[in-house]
Amino acid sequence: MLEKNPVIFIILAFVVIMIGTTVTMIAPFKWINGPADRIAEVKPYTPLQQEGRDIYMREGCNNCHSQTVRTLAADVERYGNGGSYSKSGEFVYDRPHLWGSRRTGPDLARIGLKYPDPNGMWHRKHMDNPQSVVPASNMPAYAFLNQPLNFAYSERKMKLLNFPYTRADLDELKGKSEMDAIIAYMRKLGTDLPTKKAEAATQAPAARNNPFSDLKAVKTEALSLYAKNCAACHGDKRQGSLGPTLKGSAKSDAELFAVISKGRAGMPSFGSSLDEQGIWKLVTLIKLGKHDD
Amino acid sequence: MNAPTRYVDDSTKGFMIWSIIWGTVAVLVGILISLQLAWPQLNVAPYLTYGRLRPIHTNAGIFGWGIGSFIGLFFYITQRLTKTPLWSPGLARLTLWLFNIGIASAAVTLAMGINRTKEYAELEWPLALVVAVIWVLFSVNVFMTILKRKEEQMYISLWYIMAALVGVTVLYVINNLGVPLHLFKSYPIFAGTNDANVQWWYGHNAVAMVLTAPPLAIFYYFLPKVINNPIYSHRMGIIAFWSLIFMYLWTGAHHLLWTPVPDWIQTLAMAFSIMLIAPSWGAVFNGYLTMGGKWEQMKTNYLVKFLICGITFYGLQTLQGPMQAIRTFSAFIHYTDWVPGHVHMGTLGWVSMVLFAAMYYVTEKLNDTEIYSVKLADTHFWLVLVGQLIHSITMWTAGVQQGSMLLATNPDGSLHYSFMETMIAIFPYYKIRAISGFIYLAGLLVFIYNIYKTFQKGAVAQTAKA
Ligand code: HEM
Ligand code: HEM
C-alpha cells in the first residue's frame, strides 16, 4: 500500500523525520539557555560591540575562526588565554552563534583576554596587515575597514535584540570607524568570566629565576624568537617602534618575564604561545644585549 | 524511445545546462580560495576576500550545481517512472527562471557581505524566501506528477525524491527563522547554543536530504537503465530507505562534539552516526549486487565507471563520517583540513560522479544519439577522479599532521607547537590542493565540450531528418 499511495507515503516520511528532530532539536529548547545555563557576569553587547559583531559576520571571519574552546585540555591551554573552556551561558546573547566549523586561524572565543589593550594597538596593526605582525599568516588584510561606521540601525538593533543601552552608548558611535567597532567586539570576547589562571601566572614567575646567565649560549635562538614574535612592534634591531626599545632594561628579569608572558596595555601576552624557556631567553637578550644587534 | 507518453524535457535540459554553469563557477571559486589560503596576497578587494568567497563557493556548489541538476533530473526521472508527462511544464520553466535569478543574486549578495553566517543557510531572508518558493514550486510539480501517475508501483527512486521534498522544506524553513532588521539583515530567533544545535541539525541533514537522498534516487534510476539489469533487491531498498531517513535526524550534534551542547545530545548523535553505516551500506550493496554478472562493463561502459566509482565513494564517505562522529577521533580532526577532505570526497567523488553519468545518459536520450566521444568521456573520468583523490588525500594528510601538532604537549603540560608552526607545516598541502583543483577543472571542461558536441550532433541529426 505504502508503495502505492504517495500522500500516505509523504505523511509517514514526515513523521519519521520528526522523531529524531523532536528529541535532539526541539526538546533541548527546554534546557538550553534555561536558568541552569545562566551566568550572571555575562553581559549583552553594547551598540559598538554589536556593530563590530555584524561586521565580523559581513566579512565572514567565521570561515576561518571558531569561537568555542572545547573541553579538551589542549584547547583550553591554547585558546583559553587564561580562561576556561566555553560554557553555554556565555552565548545567550549571540544571535546567531558564531562557533564556526573551521580553524584555519586560531579560536577567538577568548581573544579579549589575549590582547586587552584598550586602544587595540595590536589588533589595528594586525587587521591592517596581518603579515606585518605574523609574517606567515594567510589572513586577508582588512585595512578597508578604516572607513566610517554606519550606525543608522544601531538603536533598532538594540531594541530588536532586547539589549539594554543608553544615550551615551549611542553617542559613542559618532565618529567611529568600522575598525573601531570590530576591535571593540574582539576585545569583549571571553572577558566576561573571571580568569583564575591569569592571576596565578603573574605570581608564579617571580618565585623563579632566569636559568640563563650567558647571552652567547642562547643568542641565536633568542634572536630568532625575537624576529618571529616581537620585531613587528619593537623594531628589527630592538630599537623600538610601536613598543619601546628593548636594548637593555632597568626592570628585573622577573618583571620582564611577567610583562612578556602576561602582556600589558599594547603589549600582547605570549604566555600561551611561547614556552617558559623561550621567554627566559628573550629576557636574557633584552637585559644583556644592550650593545648587540 | 517508444514510450506512448509524450514527456516534456525542455526544463530538464535548461536545468542541466545552468547547473553545469553554476558548477563551473563553484569550481573556479574553489580554485581561487584554495590559492588564497596559500597566497593571501590574492585577497585583492573586499568582495574578493576569502571570508566572502568561501560561502559563494559552497552555495554555488550545493545549490547551483547540486540542487540545480537534481531538479532537472528529477523532472526527467519522475516522468519516466510514472509514465506520465510533467504536471506543469510552464511551472517548470518558471522554476528555472527563479532558480537562476536566485543563484545569481546569492552570489552578488554574498560578495557584498550580506551573510547570515549559518553554513549552507547564509542567504538573507528575501533570498531565503526565493529559495523556499523555488523548492515548493518544484516539489508541487513533481508531487502532482506522481499523484497523477499511470504506473501504479512507485520505484525506490521516487521514495528518495519524495523524502527529499519534505525533508528539505522542513529543514530549510526552521533554520531560517529570524526577525528582519531591514531588507538585507535579520537576526535568528534562536540564540547561542540553541542556534548552534538547530544549525547542525540542519547542516547534517542537508547532507542527508541534498547530498545523499537525491543522488541515491538518481543512482538507483540510472544504474539499472545503463546496465539493463533490474535493481537487486526491492526489500533491501525499503529497509535501507526507512532506517536511513529515521536515523539521520538524530546525528546533527556530531558537528558539535566537546562544545557546550548538552552531552546526551552529543552521545545520541555519536551512536546514531555509527548505526547509519548499516542503511548506507545497504544502499551500496544493493548497487553492487545489481551489477550481478555484468562487472565486465566497468571496462567497456563509461557510464558504469562513473556510477560504480560514485557509489564506492559514497560507501567510503559513510564509513569515514561515522568515524569522525566518535568523540576521540573528533577531538583530533575537528576544525582541521581533514574535514574539507571528507567534504570533497563526498561532493566531487560521490555526488558529481553520479551527476556526470546521469547527464551523459540524459543528453544521449534527449538528442536521440550516442555521446560525441567515449574517449573524451574516459579522459573526463580520469581527470576528475585524480583531481578529487589528490584533493582529499592531501587534506586528510594535512588534517592529521596539524591535528597531532595542535594536541602535542610537553611533559609539563604546556603546548609543544605554536599555532603558526602547525600552519606553516600545512602550506605545501594547500599548494598541492590548488593544483588538484586545476586538474579537476580540466576534467570538467572536457565534460562540457563533450556534452556541447553531443547536443550539436543531435541538432544536426534533427535538421537532417526534417
Ligand atoms: C575541484 C574544485 C574545488 C576546489 C579546488 C575546492 C576548494 C575548496 C576550498 C579551498 C574550501 C575551503 C576549505 C577550508 O575551509 O579550508 C572548500 C570548501 C567546501 N567546498 Fe569545495 N572545492 C571544489 C569543488 C567543490 C564542489 C564542486 C562542491 C560542491 C558540490 C564543493 C563543496 C564545498 C563545501 C560544502 C565546502 C565547505 C566544507 C566545510 O565546511 O568543511 N567544492 N572547497
Ligand atoms: C553516514 C554518513 C555520514 C556521517 C555519519 C558523516 C559525519 C560527518 C561528521 C561527523 C562531520 C563533521 C566533521 C567535523 O567537523 O569534525 C561531517 C562533515 C561533513 N560531511 Fe559527512 N558524514 C556522512 C556522510 C556524508 C556524505 C554522503 C556527504 C556528501 C557529500 C557528507 C558531507 C559532509 C559535509 C559537506 C561536511 C562539512 C560540514 C561543515 O562543517 O560545514 N557527509 N560529516
Side-chain angles (χ1 to χ4, degrees):
Chain A
M1 212 257 306
L2 251 186
E3 295 108 272
K4 292 185 182 145
N5 189 332
V7 177
I8 294 188
F9 182 95
I10 223 158
I11 293 172
L12 200 69
F14 175 75
V15 171
V16 167
I17 65 172
M18 286 313 285
I19 300 171
T21 299
T22 309
V23 177
T24 64
M25 193 277 273
I26 299 175
F29 288 143
K30 190 162 157 26
W31 295 284
I32 301 176
N33 293 351
D37 277 1
R38 292 274 160 187
I39 302 175
E41 291 95 336
V42 175
K43 295 187 190 61
Y45 299 98
T46 65
L48 186 63
Q49 290 164 348
Q50 181 63 39
E51 288 298 341
R53 192 170 200 270
D54 288 338
I55 294 166
Y56 185 97
M57 291 174 61
R58 185 186 77 196
E59 296 310 329
C61 310
N62 59 298
N63 286 297
C64 287
H65 291 289
S66 61
Q67 282 189 22
T68 20
V69 182
R70 293 176 294 174
T71 45
L72 303 165
D75 252 43
V76 175
E77 185 68 20
R78 188 179 296 282
Y79 305 118
N81 295 323
S84 68
Y85 56 83
S86 295
K87 305 194 177 60
S88 199
E90 293 177 72
F91 302 101
V92 292
Y93 300 112
D94 288 9
R95 286 168 64 182
H97 76 294
L98 289 172
W99 293 3
S101 68
R102 283 282 288 118
R103 280 180 185 162
T104 308
D107 188 272
L108 297 181
R110 307 221 177 283
I111 195 69
L113 297 171
K114 186 166 175 185
Y115 305 110
D117 165 26
N119 298 318
M121 290 312 291
W122 187 90
H123 285 301
R124 273 172 218 281
K125 197 168 159 67
H126 182 250
M127 293 293 285
D128 281 349
N129 182 0
Q131 290 72 31
S132 75
V133 185
V134 183
S137 176
N138 66 5
M139 174 159 149
Y142 286 100
F144 64 83
L145 295 181
N146 291 307
Q147 57 173 327
L149 175 71
N150 172 1
F151 47 86
Y153 288 95
S154 296
E155 187 165 8
R156 256 173 75 187
K157 287 182 184 176
M158 290 291 113
K159 289 196 172 127
L160 190 154
L161 294 166
N162 235 336
F163 293 168
Y165 64 96
T166 61
R167 263 301 115 203
D169 288 339
L170 293 174
D171 289 341
E172 187 203 20
L173 296 166
K174 296 203 181 98
K176 287 283 193 289
S177 66
E178 295 191 337
M179 190 66 91
D180 296 328
I182 201 164
I183 291 175
Y185 172 59
M186 291 287 104
R187 288 195 42 248
K188 182 212 198 229
L189 283 175
T191 54
D192 285 337
L193 296 188
T195 60
K196 289 189 206 79
K197 241 179 93 184
E199 288 150 27
T202 6
Q203 270 109 45
R208 281 180 234 151
N209 293 321
N210 189 346
F212 308 109
S213 51
D214 177 14
L215 178 58
K216 266 210 205 91
V218 297
K219 193 167 166 190
T220 12
E221 274 175 90
L223 282 175
S224 103
L225 281 175
Y226 179 86
K228 238 199 267 173
N229 298 290
C230 327
C233 295
H234 290 278
D236 291 344
K237 307 231 178 318
R238 283 171 283 129
Q239 75 278 22
S241 64
L242 186 67
T245 171
L246 296 180
K247 283 178 156 261
S249 170
K251 292 202 162 65
S252 73
D253 284 16
E255 281 173 306
L256 288 175
F257 185 99
V259 176
I260 299 169
S261 98
K262 216 189 112 210
R264 190 185 75 204
M267 165 70 191
S269 74
F270 286 89
S272 55
S273 54
L274 294 175
D275 62 11
E276 243 173 62
Q277 300 284 310
I279 297 179
W280 282 125
K281 284 172 194 159
L282 286 165
V283 169
T284 314
L285 177 70
I286 295 168
K287 285 287 278 190
L288 304 179
K290 192 160 185 172
H291 304 290
D292 301 59
D293 268 346
Chain B
M1 278 200 296
N2 48 8
T5 337
R6 283 185 70 89
Y7 299 131
V8 198
D9 290 323
D10 60 321
S11 293
T12 297
K13 181 176 159 189
F15 268 105
M16 269 179 17
I17 292 172
W18 279 100
S19 78
I20 293 175
I21 293 172
W22 294 119
T24 312
V25 171
V27 169
L28 290 173
V29 179
I31 292 176
L32 177 54
I33 59 174
S34 61
L35 290 168
Q36 284 177 333
L37 286 178
W39 292 281
Q41 312 83 291
L42 293 171
N43 291 281
V44 285
Y47 44 87
L48 289 177
T49 48
Y50 180 87
R52 296 201 194 175
L53 286 178
R54 192 181 182 277
I56 298 183
H57 169 65
T58 58
N59 278 276
I62 294 181
F63 291 87
W65 166 237
I67 291 195
S69 40
F70 300 149
I71 295 181
L73 292 167
F74 285 0
F75 284 154
Y76 180 92
I77 296 175
T78 308
Q79 298 184 71
R80 269 71 184 177
L81 287 177
T82 54
K83 298 209 166 66
T84 310
L86 193 62
W87 181 63
S88 167
L91 198 60
R93 279 190 289 273
L94 175 69
T95 314
L96 177 59
W97 272 99
L98 274 177
F99 170 77
N100 282 322
I101 294 171
I103 302 285
S105 332
V108 172
T109 55
L110 288 172
M112 289 163 65
I114 299 170
N115 180 349
R116 297 174 72 241
T117 71
K118 295 180 69 161
E119 267 182 277
Y120 320 124
E122 284 94 347
L123 307 180
E124 259 306 347
W125 66 273
L127 269 179
L129 276 177
V130 173
V131 172
V133 168
I134 293 168
W135 191 258
V136 169
L137 292 184
F138 152 69
S139 298
V140 168
N141 216 346
V142 166
F143 192 70
M144 290 309 287
T145 311
I146 297 178
L147 261 189
K148 301 203 162 257
R149 73 195 183 287
K150 303 203 180 77
E151 165 70 51
E152 205 188 7
Q153 197 73 17
M154 294 195 298
Y155 178 68
I156 306 185
S157 293
L158 291 181
W159 315 342
Y160 281 104
I161 292 176
M162 285 192 285
L165 300 185
V166 197
V168 171
T169 312
V170 174
L171 292 160
Y172 197 76
V173 169
I174 294 184
N175 195 37
N176 272 288
L177 292 177
V179 192
L181 176 76
H182 53 71
L183 193 58
F184 300 117
K185 175 97 192 155
S186 66
Y187 293 103
I189 63 166
F190 314 107
T193 309
N194 267 332
D195 190 52
N197 197 42
V198 173
Q199 157 61 25
W200 287 109
W201 161 82
Y202 165 85
H204 191 68
N205 290 295
V207 168
M209 297 299 171
V210 178
L211 300 176
T212 296
L216 276 178
I218 292 167
F219 174 81
Y220 278 137
Y221 176 81
F222 287 100
L223 183 70
K225 286 275 174 216
V226 166
I227 60 169
N228 208 7
N229 263 4
I231 186 82
Y232 171 72
S233 165
H234 191 73
R235 167 171 303 176
M236 193 156 136
I238 297 183
I239 298 172
F241 171 81
W242 288 105
S243 38
L244 188 95
I245 69 164
F246 172 69
M247 289 179 196
Y248 248 103
L249 281 294
W250 297 72
T251 58
H254 65 209
H255 292 262
L256 296 168
L257 300 177
W258 306 97
T259 71
V261 165
D263 268 345
W264 63 269
I265 307 179
Q266 298 182 25
T267 306
L268 276 176
M270 192 164 105
F272 274 87
S273 301
I274 292 167
M275 291 194 277
L276 261 177
I277 296 177
S280 306
W281 272 81
V284 174
F285 272 111
N286 217 352
Y288 283 158
L289 294 170
T290 300
M291 287 297 291
K294 298 208 172 154
W295 280 101
E296 83 286 350
Q297 291 203 18
M298 268 304 271
K299 278 201 208 127
T300 53
N301 188 336
Y302 71 102
L303 291 175
V304 174
K305 264 193 270 195
F306 279 101
L307 288 168
I308 291 298
C309 214
I311 198 78
T312 304
F313 281 122
Y314 174 69
L316 295 175
Q317 188 78 355
T318 53
L319 287 178
Q320 187 181 56
M323 193 165 92
Q324 293 165 185
I326 297 172
R327 274 205 185 86
T328 40
F329 194 69
S330 167
F332 188 49
I333 52 85
H334 186 46
Y335 299 126
T336 72
D337 278 291
W338 174 282
V339 182
H342 170 71
V343 170
H344 290 91
M345 172 162 71
T347 53
L348 303 179
W350 155 234
V351 179
S352 300
M353 283 285 192
V354 168
L355 288 180
F356 289 139
M359 285 189 180
Y360 275 131
Y361 181 93
V362 171
T363 303
E364 287 186 339
K365 285 285 178 264
L366 294 189
N367 290 291
D368 211 358
T369 178
E370 297 280 296
I371 192 74
Y372 168 70
S373 161
V374 173
K375 219 164 156 190
L376 282 182
D378 273 327
T379 315
H380 163 215
F381 172 80
W382 286 108
L383 285 172
V384 294
L385 178 66
V386 169
Q388 177 255 313
L389 283 176
I390 300 179
H391 188 145
S392 296
I393 293 170
T394 50
M395 288 302 102
W396 294 326
T397 321
V400 169
Q401 185 159 338
Q402 195 181 21
S404 40
M405 287 174 86
L406 285 168
L407 293 185
T409 49
N410 298 319
D412 65 354
S414 60
L415 298 164
H416 193 68
Y417 296 101
S418 71
F419 180 85
M420 283 313 291
E421 282 172 299
T422 73
M423 186 170 159
I424 289 166
I426 61 174
F427 272 119
Y429 302 110
Y430 279 163
K431 292 175 185 164
I432 302 174
R433 191 247 312 262
I435 296 171
S436 80
F438 284 105
I439 300 177
Y440 192 91
L441 176 67
L444 186 62
L445 294 178
V446 172
F447 166 71
I448 293 172
Y449 179 75
N450 211 356
I451 291 283
Y452 171 75
K453 280 297 200 184
T454 310
F455 269 106
Q456 219 178 30
K457 199 171 129 194
V460 172
Q462 292 281 297
T463 16
K465 248 190 260 166

